Amino acid sequence: MSNAVMGLRLKQQLTLTPETAAVRKAVAVIGPGVCARTAPGDCPNPFLEEAAEGTENGETRSEGEDSASEDTSRSDLDFSGNGSSSSADDTPDWTEWTASPATLHDSLHEQLLLLGLSERDYALANLVVDALDEDGFLRQPLEEIQAFAPGAEPGEIETALRIVQTLEPSGIAARDLGECLALQLHVLDHGTPGRELALDLVQNALSLMAARDNTRLLETLGCSEDELRVAMELIRSLDPRPGSKIGTFEPRAIVPDVVVRKEKKALGRQHQCGNLSADKSKSAVRGLFPPGTRW
């Protein structure tokens, strides 16, 4: 696959640098003169023997080798995939490398791989992840999940659930809204204002908060109105559907506030259900057209 994608070949070759080529040419020029002066000596140097034709042929070969090596290096760095050594089937399909949209379950499975769990704990945790809905809640009882793991004890399924609840986003794998909010509160700093009271509220009096019965909330929790207000603001800042933020979302159509249509020789304005009132949309649309436009 790497040969098909990159189109590179690993090879060894000898390439002359410009300095080395200049030295070789200088030696070829002064070589015959040096040989003529050293030839009468008693100890001729065998490396300075006169070889005019051989030198010219060597220069020709070196230049040819340089050009051939340069062409080879260029062909090695050709990523177009049109080389003679590669066939049409080896041309990479770049569309196959497009990342698929990540889902909540994919994200949780990847996080489980990083925890270094044993094979058994990893398998049980994956069962819990597969049982989660799109919002990240565990709607199925643990007994039903245990049916897919013969031989697993109830305590092991509970342990797998606790492992999944430590993953991101916080509040995942909760069995109800109170547990979801409590999981998110547990990961907050202990010094967060209203944290302890908010935990007591979501675990014991969440129905009273939904009913907006502040009088009974004050009696049940035994706190002041200011403390209750801080705790309720902290709870409202949490995410009741932590799993819904991970995954793909379908694009929503844009609904215009005003639609202008041409009717015969005049323009007709139709007010939609948007943020602008009828009077504001009328003045805004008229400002877009030149004065004297018929409506």
Side-chain angles (χ1 to χ4, degrees):
M1 177 179 177
S2 59
N3 292 336
V5 174
M6 300 301 299
L8 295 177
R9 290 180 296 173
L10 185 62
K11 60 182 295 185
Q12 291 182 345
Q13 61 183 8
L14 180 60
T15 304
L16 292 178
T17 61
E19 293 80 5
T20 307
V23 172
R24 291 187 59 181
K25 291 181 179 180
V27 172
V29 173
I30 66 175
V34 174
C35 292
R37 281 180 289 177
T38 57
D42 296 333
C43 299
N45 192 340
F47 296 99
L48 297 179
E49 292 181 357
E50 191 174 8
E53 295 180 359
T55 303
E56 295 177 357
N57 295 335
E59 290 181 359
T60 306
R61 282 198 302 270
S62 63
E63 293 177 358
E65 291 176 357
D66 293 342
S67 60
S69 61
E70 185 177 356
D71 296 339
T72 305
S73 60
R74 290 179 180 177
S75 62
D76 290 343
L77 296 177
D78 185 12
F79 297 100
S80 60
N82 297 327
S84 58
S85 60
S86 59
S87 59
D89 297 336
D90 296 336
T91 303
D93 185 6
W94 304 109
T95 59
E96 296 179 356
W97 291 11
T98 305
S100 59
T103 62
L104 172 64
H105 297 84
D106 294 337
S107 176
L108 296 177
H109 286 309
E110 292 177 358
Q111 295 180 57
L112 288 176
L113 291 173
L114 302 177
L115 296 181
L117 302 174
S118 62
E119 185 177 355
R120 185 177 183 84
D121 291 340
Y122 177 75
L124 295 178
N126 276 307
L127 287 178
V128 176
V129 170
D130 293 337
L132 302 180
D133 60 7
E134 296 180 355
D135 294 332
F137 282 89
L138 181 62
R139 307 295 184 182
Q140 298 181 7
L142 295 181
E143 291 75 12
E144 294 184 5
I145 300 178
Q146 186 179 358
F148 293 95
E153 299 180 359
E156 292 180 315
I157 302 297
E158 185 74 21
T159 301
L161 174 62
R162 298 304 178 190
I163 292 174
V164 176
Q165 289 178 347
T166 62
L167 304 178
E168 294 290 338
S170 58
I172 211 72
R175 286 162 286 189
D176 53 49
L177 180 60
E179 187 178 12
C180 175
L181 300 177
L183 290 172
Q184 298 180 54
L185 290 171
H186 277 298
V187 300
L188 296 179
D189 187 19
H190 289 276
T192 304
R195 175 180 178 272
E196 299 300 328
L197 184 60
L199 277 171
D200 190 10
L201 195 158
V202 299
Q203 291 174 350
N204 302 314
L206 188 59
S207 59
L208 296 178
M209 178 180 175
R212 299 183 179 181
D213 193 348
N214 294 345
T215 303
R216 293 184 60 185
L217 277 175
L218 293 174
E219 296 176 356
T220 303
L221 301 176
C223 61
S224 63
E225 293 184 0
D226 292 338
E227 293 175 343
L228 179 61
R229 178 180 53 81
V230 172
M232 293 177 67
E233 289 179 356
L234 180 60
I235 294 174
R236 291 191 182 100
S237 66
L238 304 177
D239 190 358
R241 300 169 56 194
S244 60
K245 293 183 178 180
I246 301 179
T248 57
F249 301 91
E250 296 182 358
R252 299 180 180 179
I254 299 176
V255 180
D257 294 325
V258 179
V259 177
V260 178
R261 294 186 178 89
K262 185 177 181 180
E263 300 175 356
K264 296 182 179 180
K265 296 183 179 181
L267 295 178
R269 176 183 54 83
Q270 180 180 357
H271 178 69
Q272 302 290 103
C273 295
N275 297 325
L276 295 177
S277 61
D279 295 335
K280 289 184 179 180
S281 64
K282 181 178 180 180
S283 59
V285 171
R286 288 183 180 274
L288 299 176
F289 294 89
T293 303
R294 297 182 57 187
W295 294 88

